[in-house]
Amino acid sequence: MTPVIRSAALLSALAAGWLVAWQLGLREVDRSPVYGFFITALLGFGLYASTSGIVISEFRRQLRTVVIAVTLGVLAKVALIFAVMFFVFRDPSHLILAVAVAQIDPLSVAAMRAKSRMSDSAKALLSAWASFDDPITVLLTVYITAFALNGGAVGGVGSFAVNLVLNLALAGVAFMLWTLVGGRVRRAEAGGRAVRYAVRAVMVVAVLALGFVAVQYSLLLALALLGLFFRPNLGRWVDGLAETGMFLAIAAVGLVLAAEFSWVLAGVGAVLGVAAFGAQAAVAFALTVPKRWRGDRVRLALGQQNGLTAIILALLLEPTFPGAIAVVAPAVVVVNLLHAVTNGAYDRATAPRPAPTPAPKRIPRVPLNPTPAPQVATPYRVKHTP
């Protein structure tokens, strides 16, 4: 699917959701329990899809840099974005929106890898950064929201600790299950087609079962960890399902925007998008990277993109913070426009210039009717015979 066709399809999904909400008079669709479960399921699948695409060998080589980027880097980006938003609007609740757009969309990063001029090492760093800052921002959003709703009470910290333990417990159960069956699954992949399909079907059911438990009890970190080791060979199904999830999320945005859109909130979203893009640039320049990546620092600074995770986080926040999607959706558009414009300009500025063509050697002109050179008589002696 070309970028133009994909953009048109996404706009069509947005328009379809808007039209359905307008025709059916849906004004509080985000208050439905089905809506909450659906959005949480999309978010959980997005986390699993992003971490399951990480190349483990590259991740191990860059573990220190990635850990700094997705912990201190994410917190620094949130702080910078919130500082700008609070300076402009003086609204403390914008902290939640700052968290929602602080991550980099891994699907967008994966799409640009082939045409980017980054080195392979820098591409790997940005991919791992994009994959692991998603669960960090998701958890920050969920727990900061719970903390805010509890009025900053200590009970919110206690629930965070309990939820963290439950996440690790579910991930541990899944890891033990994969340890028991992983070898058999790999051997079955070498068998006949019927055996491969049967094993893959069983593994899909196992992933869905674990995913249902995780979504039902909001154990989203467990799904992110699950993608690191529980990886049945599903070919392109994961990418296809992630693309389908993107269209469903955009349609859900249309359902909500039909009742929430306003130009004032769109202006807030534009400021949020500019702040998010600038925060990525600041953190990338402050990040300590190996010398061999110094030439890629500008490209890392211009690497901010938003997509499925930011949109789903906004949909998840909508029932608690009405108008969240009306702010985040324009912010996503602004971030991606800035990404396209700045990267295009930098590519043109750094494009290798063709070597100057050497001037052709001058060949002396030969007249068309050359004048013959004058004949000079050569003296000679006559030899006399004696």
Side-chain angles (χ1 to χ4, degrees):
M1 185 181 294
T2 64
V4 175
I5 295 177
R6 186 175 185 273
S7 299
L10 290 173
L11 288 175
S12 300
L14 178 67
W18 194 311
L19 184 62
V20 168
W22 182 64
Q23 289 290 334
L24 300 180
L26 301 177
R27 295 297 176 186
E28 296 185 353
V29 64
D30 54 304
R31 304 289 178 179
S32 169
V34 176
Y35 171 91
F37 183 86
F38 172 71
I39 296 303
T40 307
L42 279 180
L43 185 56
F45 177 74
L47 291 176
Y48 175 79
S50 64
T51 54
S52 65
I54 292 177
V55 179
I56 300 299
S57 58
E58 293 180 350
F59 176 71
R60 287 174 177 169
R61 284 198 299 268
Q62 304 170 19
L63 181 60
R64 179 179 176 274
T65 305
V66 171
V67 169
I68 293 174
V70 302
T71 53
L72 298 179
V74 168
L75 293 175
K77 287 173 68 174
V78 171
L80 290 172
I81 297 169
F82 177 62
V84 173
M85 297 299 291
F86 188 77
F87 177 78
V88 176
F89 301 106
R90 304 291 177 177
D91 188 350
S93 66
H94 285 164
L95 174 62
I96 301 297
L97 300 179
V99 177
V101 297
Q103 38 70 43
I104 306 172
D105 180 47
L107 297 180
S108 300
V109 170
M112 72 87 193
R113 278 177 64 108
K115 59 183 180 181
S116 175
R117 294 178 185 171
M118 280 185 179
S119 66
D120 291 339
S121 297
K123 286 180 182 178
L125 169 63
L126 188 59
S127 296
W129 188 348
S131 296
F132 268 93
D133 68 357
D134 273 23
I136 297 298
T137 52
V138 168
L139 294 173
L140 282 175
T141 302
V142 172
Y143 295 124
I144 289 177
T145 302
F147 191 73
L149 292 178
N150 288 334
V154 179
V157 179
S159 64
F160 170 83
V162 172
N163 192 273
L164 180 60
V165 171
L166 293 176
N167 272 285
L168 296 177
L170 180 59
V173 170
F175 182 75
M176 288 189 292
L177 177 62
W178 182 253
T179 303
L180 292 174
V181 303
R184 298 179 182 179
V185 170
R186 286 188 288 271
R187 288 192 295 271
E189 288 289 337
R193 179 180 298 181
V195 175
R196 288 200 305 270
Y197 287 168
V199 169
R200 291 176 186 178
V202 172
M203 297 307 296
V204 168
V205 171
V207 171
L208 290 176
L210 291 169
F212 178 82
V213 174
V215 171
Q216 183 69 28
Y217 297 99
S218 298
L219 304 178
L220 299 178
L221 176 60
L223 283 177
L225 296 174
L226 196 68
L228 292 176
F229 56 86
F230 207 99
R231 297 180 170 187
N233 184 8
L234 302 179
R236 298 182 179 178
W237 277 91
V238 174
D239 293 337
L241 289 174
E243 191 76 7
T244 302
M246 183 67 174
F247 284 104
L248 292 175
I250 292 295
V253 169
L255 287 173
V256 178
L257 276 182
E260 297 290 345
F261 178 79
S262 75
W263 289 108
V264 174
L265 294 179
V268 176
V271 176
L272 180 63
V274 173
F277 195 82
Q280 168 68 21
V283 170
F285 276 109
L287 188 66
T288 301
V289 297
K291 291 183 179 180
R292 65 181 183 276
W293 295 350
R294 297 282 170 85
D296 294 312
R297 191 185 291 275
V298 174
R299 298 190 185 279
L300 290 172
L302 303 179
Q304 179 69 24
Q305 298 177 81
N306 284 124
L308 181 61
T309 303
I311 290 172
I312 295 179
L313 280 176
L315 292 170
L316 195 64
L317 290 170
E318 185 65 31
T320 307
F321 297 94
I325 190 62
V327 175
V328 173
V332 170
V333 174
V334 169
V335 167
N336 290 327
L337 282 176
L338 287 174
H339 177 272
V341 171
T342 55
N343 279 273
Y346 188 70
D347 285 343
R348 289 191 296 271
T350 57
R353 298 180 180 179
T357 305
K361 295 182 179 180
R362 299 191 63 180
I363 302 175
R365 297 181 61 185
V366 178
L368 297 177
N369 297 313
T371 303
Q375 298 286 334
V376 178
T378 303
Y380 61 91
R381 295 179 181 181
V382 177
K383 185 177 183 182
H384 297 277
T385 304

